């Protein structure tokens, strides 16, 4: 087979301690998965089913990369998150089987154009422009999940220029990783290479050009993102 022009390379992420990279297929993100963050966004954190939004796979940005301040916004926000990387696809995955589909975990930063998100909410429009812009999916190296060694608790925190902004525990997630995988796979088949951003704790806020945002998850180290000037 030939193409009319060379196809783009498959987006990929580093795997901690290994040379081979993790090919990214799709990026799913859970909205509102920590009660305190739901409250800061003006929502009642009752246990209504989780909802998802997506980002393009080629929005991934690795650790230590500079993200240019995106266009169309005056309110770029960080959202520190645990990211789940899928190795084995499937549909209708049960909660008890879900962790067998996981390749590993990474630290993510779900960059958000908050002003566009607020406008989308107000007008009943999709979130794509708020969430799925270029360089919007920061994700550090993926740490392989060793047998029986899955992340269900541990500190998650974010700093901006060294000042703590988010400080919570993965155990505070409203929906656990197995529940998220089970629910997502009922809606569509998940595939190897899919990433799932599991939601952010309270304390989201704005970034400006020159800021350095660092997200730390116990057991996974830290990732840092510097915000550049506008493209
Ligand atoms: Mn998020």
């Amino acid at each position: 087979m030939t193409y009319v022009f060379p196809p783009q390379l498959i987006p990929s992420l580093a795997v901690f301690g290994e040379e081979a990279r993790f090919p990214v297929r799709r990026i799913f993100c859970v909205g509102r998965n920590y009660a305190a963050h739901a409250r800061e966004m003006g929502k009642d954190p009752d246990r209504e089913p989780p909802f998802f939004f997506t980002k393009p796979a080629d929005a991934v940005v690795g650790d230590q990369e500079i993200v240019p301040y995106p266009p169309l916004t005056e309110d770029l926000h960080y959202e520190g998150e645990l990211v789940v990387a899928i190795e084995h696809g499937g549909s209708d995955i049960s909660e008890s089987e879900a962790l067998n589909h996981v390749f590993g975990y990474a630290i993510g930063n779900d960059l958000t154009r908050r002003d566009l998100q607020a406008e989308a909410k107000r007008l009943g429009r999709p979130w794509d422009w708020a969430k799925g812009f270029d360089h919007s999916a920061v994700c550090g190296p993926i740490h392989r999940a060793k047998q029986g060694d899955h992340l269900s608790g541990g500190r998650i925190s974010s700093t901006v220029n060294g000042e703590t902004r988010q400080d919570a525990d993965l155990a505070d997630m409203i929906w656990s990783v197995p529940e998220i995988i089970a629910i997502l796979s009922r809606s569509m088949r998940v595939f190897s290479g899919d990433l799932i951003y599991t939601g952010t704790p309270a304390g989201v806020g704005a970034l400006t050009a020159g800021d350095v945002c660092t997200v730390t998850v116990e057991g996974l180290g830290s990732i840092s993102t510097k915000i550049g000037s506008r493209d």
Side-chain angles (χ1 to χ4, degrees):
M1 182 168 57
T2 60
Y3 296 99
V4 292
F5 52 81
Q8 64 162 18
L9 290 172
I10 293 172
S12 65
L13 290 166
V15 176
F16 185 80
E18 299 182 32
E19 209 167 300
R21 293 177 65 84
F22 181 90
V24 178
R25 178 157 180 156
R26 296 173 301 179
I27 303 175
F28 298 99
C29 308
V30 181
R32 289 197 287 270
N33 200 24
Y34 291 80
H37 173 62
R39 280 192 290 270
E40 79 179 348
M41 298 304 288
K43 294 291 175 186
D44 184 10
D46 53 10
R47 213 165 185 264
E48 54 188 44
F51 65 93
F52 297 86
F53 57 89
T54 59
K55 294 177 185 252
D58 61 7
V60 287
V61 172
D63 181 26
Q64 301 291 337
E65 287 188 45
I66 294 175
V67 169
Y69 196 95
L72 293 182
T73 185
E74 301 298 332
D75 199 19
L76 174 68
H77 275 209
Y78 56 85
E79 295 191 354
E81 309 199 2
L82 174 70
V83 177
V84 180
I86 298 292
E87 179 167 21
H88 304 293
S91 49
D92 288 319
I93 299 167
S94 66
E95 282 173 36
S96 60
E97 277 294 311
L99 294 180
N100 296 331
H101 292 256
V102 172
F103 175 83
Y105 300 91
I107 304 171
N109 194 338
D110 164 19
L111 295 175
T112 301
R113 295 194 283 204
R114 192 71 72 202
D115 41 3
L116 294 194
Q117 186 191 31
E119 183 182 66
K121 287 178 179 176
R122 184 166 50 81
L123 298 173
R125 288 180 181 164
W127 284 13
D128 305 46
W129 260 223
K131 289 291 196 177
F133 52 94
D134 296 340
H135 319 291
S136 59
V138 180
C139 191
I142 299 171
H143 294 244
R144 272 183 193 270
K146 295 171 197 79
Q147 200 89 49
D149 184 18
H150 285 273
L151 284 181
S152 54
R155 189 179 178 208
I156 177 169
S157 60
S158 307
T159 65
V160 177
N161 305 328
E163 196 175 293
T164 300
R165 301 289 180 83
Q166 296 187 288
D167 195 352
D169 197 289
L170 297 175
D172 298 338
M173 289 198 290
I174 297 170
W175 297 92
S176 68
V177 170
E179 288 172 328
I180 291 167
I181 293 170
I183 292 166
L184 175 60
S185 72
R186 263 179 241 150
S187 180
M188 61 179 87
R189 188 173 183 84
V190 297
F191 286 97
S192 21
D194 287 347
L195 299 177
I196 307 171
Y197 283 62
T198 57
T200 198
V204 298
L207 295 168
T208 55
D211 283 349
V212 176
C213 183
T214 301
V215 184
T216 302
V217 172
E218 201 177 322
L220 300 179
S222 295
I223 64 160
S224 283
T225 305
K226 185 173 184 175
I227 306 301
S229 47
R230 279 191 198 272
D231 257 338

